[in-house]
Amino acid sequence: MTTPSTPNTAKKILLNAFDMNCVGHINHGLWTHPRDQSHRFNELSYWTDLAKTLEQGLFDGLFIADITGVYDVYQNDIELTLKESIQLPSHDPTTLVSAMAAVTQNLGFGVTVNLSYESPYQFARRFASLDHLTQGRIGWNIVTGYLDSAQRLIGEKGLKDHDLRYEQAEEFLQLCYKFWEGSWENDAVLKDKQNRIFTDPAKVHQIQHQGQFYQSQGVFQVAPSIQRTPVLFQAGASPRGLAFATQHAEGMFIGGDQPEKIKKQVDQIRQQATEQGRDPEAIKIFVGITVVTAETDDLAQQKLDEYISYASPEAGLAHFSSSVGIDLSKFADDEAIPYQKTNSIASVNNKFKEQKITKNDLKAQHVLGGRYPLIVGSGTTVAEKLIQLMDETGIDGFNLTRTVAPESHHDFIQLVIPELQQRGRYKTAYEYGSLRHKLFQQGDHLSASHPVQQFRCQSSDANSDQINIQKQSA
Ligand SMILES: Cc1cc2nc3c(=O)[nH]c(=O)nc-3n(C[C@H](O)[C@H](O)[C@H](O)COP(=O)(O)O)c2cc1C
C-alpha cells in the first residue's frame, strides 16, 4: 500500500463533482437538512460559489446531469416527486455555464443534453458558442432519454425503441461533427483589419447531410472554437449503448458497487475501444460515488447517521422506478421484483434479471436517498478506499455526488484531497489548456483515430494531429 511518505507516480485520480440544476439530484431527502442550500439552485451565486469552491479543490470538472420529463412512474403519479423535489423543479443546465466560467479559469463543464429533443444545428451552435466563452472547457454528456413523460411533454406518441434512440444518436453526432469540424478550416478566421478580411471565404465550406433522421445543407454559423468538438461523455451500458460509447466517447460514466463488477465493465470498455480502432486509454472511465467524511472515522459515522435521519429512501425508490420504468410501489417489501422488459435504462433494469432483488434490498441501498456506492470515514480512510478502488478496477476517476450542499464538497476538499495529494494520487496544480488537453495531454482536438476524422474538412485533416494548446492567461 502507498503511504503518505512515499508519493508515487501511479495514475492520478480524475474528479468531477456530479450535480444537477435542481434541488434533489441523487441523494434524495437531504434538501430538508437545516444546513443544505440546494433550495437556492435558482440563484446564480449558488452556482458561481460552487464553481469557485470546486476550482479551489482542483476538480477537473463539474458534471451536470439533466432530465427531460418528470418522474411519474412510482404510484403512477408525481405527488412524491413534487413533495420531495425529486429532480422537479429542474432547470436547463446550459444556462449555468457562462456564469461559472466567468469566475473560474480551469474548471471543466460536462453538460448533459438529451439529443432526442434537439435540432442538431441549434445544439451544435450553442455548444460551439460555449466552447468559445469557456476557452475550451465544455463537454457534452450525450443522452437519448428514457422517460415516456418527456415524449408526452414534447408532443410525441411514445419513447422511441431503445436501440433506435442510439441509431438516431449516431446520426445526430455525425451531423454535429460536420458542423463543428467540417465547415470551417482551423485557420479560416484572419481578423485582418488592413485587408478587410475577417474570414477567408476559401476556408469556409458547405456541409451536406441527407440522413434517416436529419437533413442539413449550408455553412456552420460558429467559427472554430478551441476544442472544436466538445469533450464527449456517455453512459451507455447496454450492448448497443456500449458500442456507441466506445466508438465516440472520451469520458464514460459507469455505475457499480462491487470492484469485480466495475473491473469487468472497465475491461469490456477498453477491449471494445480497441476493437473500434481506438486507444483503450482514450476513454476516461468515471464511477459515481457518494462520500461522507469528517475529522475521524467515528465523527464521519456520526455525520452519516445524522444525514440519514433527513434522507428519503422512498424518494430514492421513486427515482429508481423511473430509471427502470417499473412502478416499485406495487411490490411488497420482501417480494422479489420480477424482471419486465421496459424501454428505460436497460443496463439498470437487467439487474432484476440477474439477481433476486426486493424492495427491502433497494431501501437498504438507498439509505441516503440515492443508490450510489457510499464511502464513509476520515479523509485518510476515504482517500485510501478511493485509491484502492481505482487500482483494483482500472478506472480513471470519480463523479462525486453531493449530499448536504455545499457542505459535502467543502468537507471533501478540506479532508480528502490533501490525503490524496500526499499519496501522489491527485494533482497539486492544474495543467494549462483546454478540458480535453487537461484530460489527455494530447492537444485540444480529438485525435485522428476518432470517428470525427472522416468528417473533417481537408485542411483541418492536415492539422488535426498538431498539438494545439491555447494557453490561458494566468
Ligand atoms: C451514472 C449514470 C448517470 C446518468 N445520467 C443521466 C442524465 O443525467 N440524464 C439522462 O437522461 N440519463 C442519464 N443516464 C442514463 C444514460 O444516459 C443512459 O440512458 C443509460 O446509461 C442508458 O444506458 P443503456 O445503454 O443501458 O440503456 C445516466 C446513466 C448512468 C449510468
Side-chain angles (χ1 to χ4, degrees):
M1 185 186 295
T2 310
T3 63
S5 54
T6 56
N8 65 29
T9 51
K11 203 155 82 164
K12 290 204 168 39
I13 289 179
L14 295 173
L15 191 62
N16 294 315
F18 189 37
D19 214 318
M20 184 163 166
N21 196 357
C22 68
V23 179
H25 174 210
I26 295 287
N27 296 308
H28 295 294
L30 290 177
W31 68 276
T32 58
H33 191 289
R35 292 194 298 276
D36 186 86
Q37 294 290 309
S38 61
H39 58 276
R40 292 184 44 230
F41 81 99
N42 60 339
E43 295 172 27
L44 210 48
S45 62
Y46 173 82
W47 293 102
T48 49
D49 286 349
L50 174 67
K52 284 187 268 187
T53 298
L54 297 177
E55 190 154 273
Q56 278 160 14
L58 304 177
F59 276 63
D60 296 281
L62 171 63
F63 196 101
I64 316 177
D66 189 43
I67 193 79
T68 308
V70 298
Y71 296 144
D72 60 0
V73 175
Y74 190 74
Q75 297 170 334
N76 195 23
D77 197 15
I78 57 167
E79 190 177 329
L80 189 67
T81 299
L82 284 167
K83 283 186 174 161
E84 283 289 350
S85 202
I86 309 168
Q87 303 188 356
L88 180 67
S90 75
H91 298 181
D92 187 319
T94 48
T95 56
L96 304 173
V97 173
S98 291
M100 290 193 288
V103 296
T104 53
Q105 298 268 312
N106 290 290
L107 187 70
F109 304 98
V111 183
T112 301
V113 175
N114 181 340
L115 60 87
S116 299
Y117 310 121
E118 292 278 337
S119 127
Y121 183 76
Q122 301 287 54
F123 166 79
R125 186 175 182 223
R126 200 160 73 242
F127 267 60
S129 305
L130 281 173
D131 199 46
H132 277 283
L133 292 177
T134 59
Q135 289 186 289
R137 289 189 276 149
I138 194 81
W140 172 30
N141 178 30
I142 307 168
V143 302
T144 62
Y146 56 85
L147 296 180
D148 280 324
S149 63
Q151 295 293 120
R152 292 194 296 273
L153 282 163
I154 303 295
E156 292 175 14
K157 277 272 154 48
L159 203 54
K160 279 200 184 77
D161 179 68
H162 179 270
D163 286 8
L164 187 63
R165 297 204 294 274
Y166 278 110
E167 295 305 315
Q168 183 171 358
E170 197 81 46
E171 194 184 324
F172 189 103
L173 211 49
Q174 284 179 10
L175 183 47
C176 285
Y177 291 152
K178 290 181 186 179
F179 292 136
W180 287 324
E181 310 231 8
S183 186
W184 294 56
E185 294 182 30
N186 282 332
D187 55 354
V189 174
L190 301 176
K191 297 183 190 169
D192 180 346
K193 290 193 180 189
Q194 258 182 343
N195 294 303
R196 303 194 71 86
I197 305 175
F198 190 88
T199 301
D200 179 353
K203 297 196 169 189
V204 180
H205 311 285
Q206 300 228 358
I207 67 105
Q208 304 281 348
H209 187 88
Q210 293 290 327
Q212 182 189 350
F213 300 94
Y214 306 106
Q215 283 82 43
S216 180
Q217 181 265 317
V219 299
F220 192 43
Q221 249 170 292
V222 186
S225 61
I226 292 177
Q227 300 184 116
R228 303 203 68 145
T229 296
V231 174
L232 301 172
F233 293 94
Q234 227 274 326
S238 60
R240 184 64 190 88
L242 260 181
F244 176 84
T246 53
Q247 194 185 359
H248 297 281
E250 304 170 84
M252 280 189 69
F253 192 11
I254 60 172
D257 44 3
Q258 291 155 19
E260 319 79 67
K261 286 192 179 164
I262 296 173
K263 182 169 184 335
K264 216 170 136 194
Q265 288 183 76
V266 170
D267 291 346
Q268 192 178 2
I269 288 168
R270 303 228 189 271
Q271 189 193 331
Q272 280 192 231
T274 309
E275 283 162 15
Q276 310 251 27
R278 296 180 68 196
D279 175 355
E281 300 299 323
I283 303 178
K284 300 292 183 194
I285 304 174
F286 297 85
V287 163
I289 199 119
T290 297
V291 168
V292 176
T293 187
E295 283 72 12
T296 65
D297 287 346
D298 281 349
L299 287 172
Q301 191 57 50
Q302 281 174 32
K303 191 181 278 184
L304 174 66
D305 293 341
E306 199 233 351
Y307 283 5
I308 285 174
S309 68
Y310 293 95
S312 171
E314 194 188 8
L317 283 194
H319 183 172
F320 193 77
S321 287
S322 278
S323 299
V324 291
I326 298 170
D327 179 2
L328 296 171
S329 73
K330 290 190 171 149
F331 300 98
D333 281 348
D334 56 356
E335 191 182 348
I337 299 158
Y339 169 77
Q340 332 170 9
K341 188 171 171 9
T342 69
N343 215 1
S344 301
I345 304 184
S347 50
V348 182
N349 192 21
N350 281 345
K351 296 215 164 56
F352 292 119
K353 215 189 304 186
E354 292 157 11
Q355 61 200 93
K356 178 180 172 233
I357 303 173
T358 65
K359 240 163 71 174
N360 276 337
D361 297 331
L362 290 174
K363 278 187 191 160
Q365 201 188 353
H366 285 77
V367 66
L368 208 49
R371 64 175 181 275
Y372 283 57
L374 176 61
I375 298 184
V376 186
S378 66
T380 310
T381 302
V382 172
E384 286 179 354
K385 286 191 175 167
L386 292 176
I387 290 169
Q388 191 183 357
L389 186 57
M390 179 145 151
D391 292 347
E392 277 176 15
T393 59
I395 58 169
D396 298 285
F398 299 93
N399 272 4
L400 181 69
T401 69
R402 61 169 153 92
T403 53
V404 172
E407 173 174 299
S408 63
H409 288 320
H410 289 146
D411 287 348
F412 193 92
I413 290 167
Q414 197 194 330
L415 299 170
V416 181
I417 291 205
E419 298 291 335
L420 293 172
Q421 286 171 326
Q422 279 178 40
R423 288 161 177 77
R425 299 303 294 268
Y426 192 77
K427 63 180 124 20
T428 51
Y430 281 111
E431 295 262 351
Y432 281 111
S434 63
L435 175 59
R436 179 170 287 117
H437 184 69
K438 283 188 174 76
L439 290 174
F440 296 99
Q441 289 87 49
Q442 289 179 1
D444 300 325
H445 296 165
L446 275 163
S447 81
S449 58
H450 188 276
V452 75
Q453 184 66 12
Q454 60 190 292
F455 303 102
R456 284 179 163 141
C457 49
Q458 213 51 47
S459 301
S460 300
D461 273 11
N463 296 334
S464 63
D465 281 338
Q466 276 178 13
I467 302 278
N468 171 27
I469 311 159
Q470 302 246 347
K471 288 207 169 181
Q472 294 167 356
S473 51

